[in-house]
Amino acid sequence: MDAENRYQYLERLEQIRGSKVLVYFAYTPLDDSILVPLYKQLKAIGHTPKIDLFLHSYGGAVDTPYKLVMLIREFCEEFGVIVPLAAKSAASMVVLGADEVVMGPVSELGPIDPLVKHPVYRDVWVPVQAIRYTLEYFQRTIADSPDPELATFIINPVLNKLDPWLIGDYEKSLKASHQYAEALLSRYMLKDSPLQVSAVTHALTEGYFSHGYPIGRREAKELGLKITEADGELWEVIWSLYLGYEELLNQRDLE
């Protein structure tokens, strides 16, 4: 699919949705590097009644989604997120700051488990929950061992390699993700259902053990999120756009 075809699909999506559509499609972690280009694009568009973000991302930094939502909302009255395939982890946080999320039969959200850069391997991103589960695993191993002293002897060399300041930073990231989720839900997605905010926040930040757990549109709706189910022409346009951007990124990787 060439640029002209993608533009035609984008134009049709805007007609169907009655919105201005922005696209974020990436396989690299979502971080603050998106903010300046996004601001430039929003300034070029100007204030508009409704903005949709066509979002495909597997997550990223803990603070970026909140900044992204606040920036977009400076330029519109109504904000929607369109998920063609995956808006996982930190990208799911962006969804919580929308008024609605548009999902098709293969669309997925995920537990909010932001990524942090590995302290040694700088190109490696680690789910912050992984650190907590590691410590909890060691604690259970020692407590359940028939010889706790031997278990402690074996585990201590590993624990000694963990920087306590780093562990504290990871713990702060977990608390921050909870705080951001609660703030976005209460201000936007669930502003009319304040009694649901706490339960939905807990479910998304602590209720799933797999970083990649797929939350489809039915489960998302059961959680209490405002889901618009994409079917018919709307879904055909969304899926065609997804395939077009996937093809574009694959071509760039081969160059």
Side-chain angles (χ1 to χ4, degrees):
M1 182 185 298
D2 59 22
E4 184 177 349
N5 289 136
R6 289 194 301 274
Y7 179 78
Q8 290 172 348
Y9 278 119
L10 275 173
E11 198 172 47
R12 183 56 185 148
L13 182 57
E14 290 180 339
Q15 292 171 351
I16 295 172
R17 291 282 298 162
S19 67
K20 187 65 181 178
V21 176
L22 302 175
V23 177
Y24 181 79
F25 193 108
Y27 295 112
T28 54
L30 176 67
D31 61 25
D32 283 1
S33 65
I34 187 183
L35 298 175
V36 171
L38 175 61
Y39 177 58
K40 290 178 179 178
Q41 192 169 5
L42 288 166
K43 279 193 69 178
I45 294 170
H47 194 279
T48 186
K50 182 177 180 181
I51 289 176
D52 281 326
L53 178 65
F54 188 93
L55 178 63
H56 178 70
S57 170
Y58 288 93
V62 65
D63 299 316
T64 301
Y66 188 83
K67 296 177 186 180
L68 187 153
V69 170
M70 293 299 105
L71 178 55
I72 290 176
R73 283 194 171 274
E74 286 285 334
F75 289 84
C76 65
E77 303 302 323
E78 187 178 350
F79 173 44
V81 174
I82 299 170
V83 180
L85 183 64
K88 312 285 279 191
S89 192
S92 289
M93 184 92 73
V94 176
V95 169
L96 306 188
D99 297 301
E100 62 170 327
V101 53
V102 181
M103 300 178 69
V106 297
S107 306
E108 294 179 11
L109 306 180
I112 295 172
D113 182 13
L115 305 173
V116 291
K117 285 189 175 181
H118 192 283
V120 178
Y121 308 106
R122 302 304 296 176
D123 292 333
V124 175
W125 290 69
V126 182
V128 292
Q129 291 278 14
I131 301 298
R132 170 180 285 182
Y133 292 145
T134 298
L135 296 174
E136 290 178 353
Y137 170 75
F138 285 157
Q139 185 179 29
R140 289 196 309 272
T141 300
I142 293 171
D144 297 341
S145 174
D147 189 345
E149 289 187 7
L150 178 60
T152 302
F153 177 77
I154 294 171
I155 290 171
N156 268 343
V158 179
L159 291 175
N160 289 337
K161 292 182 179 180
L162 296 177
D163 186 335
W165 294 105
L166 190 61
I167 295 172
D169 194 43
Y170 287 165
E171 185 65 22
K172 281 199 304 180
S173 294
L174 288 171
K175 290 182 178 179
S177 64
H178 188 283
Q179 182 180 32
Y180 283 138
E182 194 168 62
L184 291 171
L185 283 167
S186 60
R187 193 175 299 175
Y188 300 116
M189 178 67 71
L190 296 181
K191 64 184 179 182
D192 298 324
S193 307
L195 296 180
Q196 290 183 273
V197 170
S198 181
V200 175
T201 298
H202 178 80
L204 290 174
T205 58
E206 300 183 48
Y208 299 91
F209 295 111
S210 170
H211 179 76
Y213 184 95
I215 300 175
R217 60 186 184 182
R218 289 185 181 179
E219 186 168 353
K221 187 177 288 188
E222 290 168 359
L223 282 173
L225 302 184
K226 294 179 181 177
I227 307 300
T228 295
E229 296 192 18
D231 297 300
E233 185 188 7
L234 174 59
W235 176 245
E236 291 302 318
V237 171
I238 290 170
W239 188 245
S240 295
L241 264 177
Y242 168 79
L243 294 177
Y245 281 107
E246 182 186 46
E247 180 183 338
L248 176 64
L249 263 65
N250 288 338
Q251 288 173 349
R252 288 179 177 177
D253 289 341
L254 294 173
E255 292 176 355

